[in-house]
């Protein structure tokens, strides 16, 4: 039983409160050599940083709950908007291609000549 730690002593202070005896202030004793302090700084993962800051600054559980709830909700909403915009862009490209194809086929020789001259103008503009 010698491998067990010593039991923790609890003492009563003059004001009536209790505290652990090992937390009582000890007199400062001068040391001959300077003390080396090793400080390790750890960074929280990105998804927990806001929650840890909120907890550490005393903001409360409401802020943590809001961060946990609204974070993924915001990501989902932005993803849905991006998907909708991509679908609209695809539809606009398909409709423009369809309109150009119909105009070329209905326009006859004048429509094809106009499309050819527009294509030449675009190619010459790209070269400059």
């Amino acid at each position: 039983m010698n491998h067990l730690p010593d039991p923790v002593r609890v003492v009563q202070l003059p004001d009536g409160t209790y505290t652990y005896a090992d937390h009582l202030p000890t007199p400062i004793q001068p040391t001959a050599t300077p003390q080396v302090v090793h400080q390790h700084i750890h960074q929280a993962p990105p998804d927990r940083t806001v929650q840890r800051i909120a907890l550490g600054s005393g903001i409360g559980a409401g802020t943590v709950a809001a961060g946990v709830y609204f974070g993924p909700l915001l990501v989902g909403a932005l993803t849905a908007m991006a998907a909708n915009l991509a679908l609209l862009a695809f539809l606009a490209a398909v409709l423009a291609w369809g309109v150009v194809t119909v105009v070329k086929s209905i326009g006859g020789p004048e429509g094809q000549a106009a499309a050819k001259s527009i294509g030449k103008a675009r190619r010459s503009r790209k070269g400059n």
Side-chain angles (χ1 to χ4, degrees), residues 40-50 52-53:
H40 299 278
I41 299 172
H42 299 279
Q43 183 177 1
D47 58 335
R48 298 278 186 230
T49 304
V50 174
R52 291 185 186 195
I53 290 171

Side-chain angles (χ1 to χ4, degrees), residues 35 41 44 72 83 120 123:
Q35 220 176 1
I41 299 172
K120 285 181 185 177
R123 281 190 288 268

Side-chain angles (χ1 to χ4, degrees), residues 5-86:
D6 294 333
V8 179
R9 286 190 343 120
V10 177
V11 295
Q12 186 175 11
L13 297 176
D15 63 354
T17 59
Y18 291 92
T19 186
Y20 293 106
D22 61 348
H23 289 183
L24 293 175
T26 58
I28 299 174
Q29 299 173 0
T31 57
T33 60
Q35 220 176 1
V36 178
V37 176
H38 294 281
Q39 183 176 7
H40 299 278
I41 299 172
H42 299 279
Q43 183 177 1
D47 58 335
R48 298 278 186 230
T49 304
V50 174
Q51 288 87 334
R52 291 185 186 195
I53 290 171
L55 284 175
S57 62
I59 293 174
T63 304
V64 176
V68 169
Y69 180 75
F70 288 116
L73 192 66
L74 179 64
V75 170
L78 291 175
T79 304
M81 284 191 281
N84 286 340
L85 289 175

